């Protein structure tokens, strides 16, 4: 079923050309079926209404090697309407972001005359670190709730989608940045080339864009199929990124490997070419692994099938033994997992999440209620399926009281295991 927007344009469209290079040589290697929108958490009043579902298939571009999903859901539906994700509900992410900002303040000698822009600035979680040091900032984010939260926190924020046209306007106003942050957004934009071209326009000639994005290598290595959802249009390799940036006069000069979100890259991209060994070495590693060919991705589908069967079998066995099961993390990845594996209220009684905007709502596609984390100690389920497995250490430390009561966690990827 597709959801028509108020102004009756189609809610989604299927691509026939690569999002980066425009090639029509796209090979689908993984099909997760028709899936609900991962961050469209269902309110009680909506439970009886049908949920929109869209195809979720992943393809490889034979020409530029970009991995990408084949359906583009209208961004207005994904992000501008009632988007529930607030970065500041993750202490680990806040610490990670603060370290990034402080490193750049030093590296780039930023001060009151500097300008730092963040694309997809969410609730001000990152830019607030610059505001505290009287460094000029500008946030840009289409999600109304997070943008208003950012403004209340003293972070000037434009509540809109960043486009080539917006970039032209900012550059014409002389608002060009010493640093542009773009964390977990490059993979989300439908106009990939327009976004990168716009990024170049607002970057000073001696500026740097610091971009974080999930890395497709750990996704394949650790079967992190649940990180595939309609918000994530692209799944980047360094090879594909390098070609994308060069197309717009930008150079990937340095990169860092990050553990966040199941394995990400922090990319340092500049208008000048000075490619370091962190990039040349990873490009060579990707060539050696064969990541520039479809064969590298071919067996992911069967490995996802194995994980799906093993996880379902584990949950059904625990239920047959009379055990109770809850889940932790109303994460977007959690929606893909419960819907692709078929985990409903017959298996999982409730999900808990610290994000108050998610509490009281229900997981997409399965109508599993979302409660506050205190419910784990109050209701004492025997097991908790960790949907936000990328924060496992932090969450299990935080839930020591539940574990002291005998509670156990189930980590679903790369293979289901009880800890
Ligand atoms: O690209 C995106 C990734 C990076 O973040 C966004 N499109 C959406 C989001 O995806 P996600 O929802 O899978 O991300 P998280 O950050 O892994 O979600 C974690 C969930 O767990 C959040 O809802 C917050 C919650 N949480 C919690 O309840 N207690 C997180 C921590 C660390 C906690 O202690």
């Amino acid at each position: 079923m597709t959801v028509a927007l108020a102004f009756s344009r189609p809610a989604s469209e299927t691509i026939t050309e690569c999002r980066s290079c425009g090639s029509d040589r796209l090979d689908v290697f993984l099909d997760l079926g028709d899936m609900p929108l991962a961050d469209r958490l269902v309110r009680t009043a909506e439970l009886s209404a049908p949920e929109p579902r869209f195809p979720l298939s992943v393809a490889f571009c034979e020409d530029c090697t970009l991995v990408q999903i084949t359906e583009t859901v209208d961004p207005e539906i994904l992000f501008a309407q009632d988007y529930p994700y607030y970065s500041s509900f993750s202490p680990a992410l806040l610490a990670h972001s603060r370290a990034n900002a402080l490193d750049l303040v030093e590296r780039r000698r930023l001060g009151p005359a500097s300008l730092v822009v963040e694309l997809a600035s969410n609730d001000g979680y990152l830019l607030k670190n610059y505001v505290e040091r009287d460094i000029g900032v500008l946030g840009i984010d289409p999600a109304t709730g997070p943008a208003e939260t950012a403004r209340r926190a003293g972070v000037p924020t434009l509540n809109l989608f960043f486009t080539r046209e917006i970039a032209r306007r900012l550059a014409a106003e002389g608002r060009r940045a010493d640093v542009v942050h773009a964390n977990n957004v490059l993979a989300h934009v439908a106009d990939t080339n327009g976004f990168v071209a716009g990024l170049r326009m607002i970057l000073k000639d001696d500026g740097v864009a610091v971009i974080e994005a999930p890395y497709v290598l750990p996704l394949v290595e650790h079967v992190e199929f649940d990180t595939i959802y309609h918000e994530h249009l692209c799944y980047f390799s360094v090879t594909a990124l390098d070609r994308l940036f060069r197309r717009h006069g930008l150079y990937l000069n340095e990169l860092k490997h990050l553990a966040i979100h199941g394995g990400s890259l922090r990319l340092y991209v500049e208008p000048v070419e000075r490619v370091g060994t962190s990039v040349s070495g990873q490009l060579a590693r990707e060539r050696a692994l064969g990541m520039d060919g479809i064969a590298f991705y071919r067996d992911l589908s069967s490995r996802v099938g194995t994980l799906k069967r093993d996880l379902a079998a584990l949950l059904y066995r625990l239920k047959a033994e009379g055990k109770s099961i809850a889940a932790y993390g109303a994460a977007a990845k959690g929606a893909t997992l419960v819907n692709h594996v078929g985990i409903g209220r017959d298996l999982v009684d409730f999900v808990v999440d610290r994000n108050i905007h998610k509490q009281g709502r229900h997981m997409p596609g399965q109508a599993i209620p979302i409660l506050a984390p205190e419910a784990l100690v109050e209701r004492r389920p025997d097991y908790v399926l960790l949907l936000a497995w990328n924060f496992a250490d932090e969450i299990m430390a935080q839930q020591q009281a539940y574990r002291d009561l005998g509670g156990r966690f189930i980590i679903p990827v790369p293979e289901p295991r009880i800890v």
Side-chain angles (χ1 to χ4, degrees):
M1 171 191 177
T2 56
V3 173
L5 287 163
F7 19 101
S8 73
R9 69 169 182 259
S12 75
E13 60 182 350
T14 305
I15 62 170
T16 55
E17 297 177 350
C18 173
R19 298 176 187 278
S20 174
C21 73
S23 167
D24 61 1
R25 300 199 309 149
L26 293 173
D27 296 329
V28 173
F29 61 85
L30 177 62
D31 183 355
L32 295 178
D34 286 353
M35 298 286 276
L37 298 179
D39 268 320
R40 188 180 180 279
L41 305 181
V42 184
R43 297 182 183 282
T44 302
E46 300 166 328
L47 285 173
S48 56
E51 277 184 78
R53 287 176 173 263
F54 302 91
L56 191 55
S57 296
V58 192
F60 171 84
C61 173
E62 293 282 2
D63 283 313
C64 78
T65 81
L66 180 66
V67 173
Q68 55 204 285
I69 61 173
T70 59
E71 195 76 8
T72 304
V73 175
D74 190 295
E76 285 288 338
I77 296 175
L78 289 177
F79 302 109
Q81 299 169 359
D82 203 16
Y83 187 61
Y85 184 80
Y86 289 69
S87 301
S88 294
F89 282 99
S90 163
L93 186 63
L94 289 175
H96 165 87
S97 304
R98 182 176 186 79
N100 186 14
L102 298 184
D103 173 61
L104 283 159
V105 170
E106 292 305 313
R107 279 168 74 132
R108 311 296 293 198
R109 296 188 178 79
L110 301 176
S114 305
L115 176 62
V116 177
V117 173
E118 183 176 16
L119 310 179
S121 49
N122 198 265
D123 57 9
Y125 74 102
L126 171 64
L127 291 179
K128 68 183 183 183
N129 294 290
Y130 294 103
V131 171
E132 290 166 4
R133 285 161 180 75
D134 296 324
I135 294 167
V137 301
L138 177 65
I140 300 176
D141 197 293
T144 305
E148 288 172 356
T149 300
R151 288 175 181 147
R152 286 196 295 273
V155 177
T157 301
L158 299 177
N159 178 206
L160 43 75
F161 287 98
F162 178 72
T163 62
R164 212 190 290 250
E165 196 41 49
I166 295 297
R168 280 196 191 95
R169 204 174 78 196
L170 290 170
E173 295 166 1
R175 301 172 84 177
R176 296 180 68 198
D178 299 277
V179 174
V180 176
H181 285 283
N183 291 341
N184 299 299
V185 58
L186 182 58
H188 297 59
V189 293
D191 181 5
T192 307
N193 283 293
F195 186 90
V196 176
L199 191 156
R200 174 64 189 94
M201 289 180 208
I202 64 169
L203 192 62
K204 288 180 180 175
D205 291 345
D206 62 351
V208 60
V210 184
I211 300 167
E212 292 187 8
Y215 186 20
V216 73
L217 181 52
L219 187 163
V220 174
E221 285 182 328
H222 306 310
V223 200
E224 297 171 359
F225 78 94
D226 52 347
T227 61
I228 297 168
Y229 38 86
H230 296 100
E231 288 175 33
H232 287 172
L233 296 170
C234 299
Y235 299 81
F236 289 116
S237 64
V238 177
T239 304
L241 284 163
D242 187 54
R243 298 183 190 182
L244 169 63
F245 291 130
R246 286 176 178 272
R247 192 176 302 124
H248 300 281
L250 290 168
Y251 301 89
L252 173 54
N253 288 329
E254 181 189 352
L255 66 83
K256 292 181 180 175
H257 295 269
L258 307 172
I260 197 93
H261 294 304
S264 295
L265 295 172
R266 179 178 292 156
L267 312 165
Y268 297 86
V269 180
E270 298 172 288
V272 293
E273 185 174 12
R274 42 184 174 216
V275 179
T277 54
S278 62
V279 173
S280 55
Q282 199 62 28
L283 288 170
R285 184 170 177 229
E286 291 189 354
R287 275 193 303 275
L289 288 168
M291 290 178 69
D292 53 357
I294 182 69
F296 179 77
Y297 299 95
R298 277 274 182 240
D299 73 342
L300 182 60
S301 183
S302 61
R303 296 164 66 211
V304 170
T306 301
L307 192 162
K308 173 178 175 177
R309 282 188 298 277
D310 291 351
L311 179 56
L314 171 60
L315 298 178
Y316 278 108
R317 174 171 65 79
L318 293 174
K319 292 302 286 183
E321 293 169 2
K323 304 299 183 186
S324 57
I325 306 172
Y328 193 119
K333 64 174 73 66
T336 295
L337 189 97
V338 300
N339 281 288
H340 186 64
V341 178
I343 300 171
R345 296 183 68 166
D346 57 328
L347 291 173
V348 168
D349 299 327
F350 59 91
V351 178
V352 297
D353 195 292
R354 286 176 71 177
N355 180 336
I356 56 173
H357 305 281
K358 297 186 175 184
Q359 295 167 9
R361 293 164 71 168
H362 302 75
M363 290 301 284
Q366 300 296 337
I368 305 171
I370 302 166
L371 310 176
E374 289 70 20
L376 294 186
V377 170
E378 291 160 5
R379 302 189 182 195
R380 297 179 61 176
D382 296 304
Y383 293 90
V384 174
L385 176 61
L386 195 46
L387 298 176
W389 47 263
N390 49 315
F391 292 118
D393 294 344
E394 178 179 0
I395 291 171
M396 290 198 287
Q398 174 207 104
Q399 293 301 320
Q400 192 56 52
Y402 163 71
R403 298 172 73 193
D404 291 344
L405 292 169
R408 308 283 298 277
F409 280 91
I410 300 168
I411 313 273
V413 299
E415 67 278 322
R417 62 195 185 283
I418 297 172
V419 296

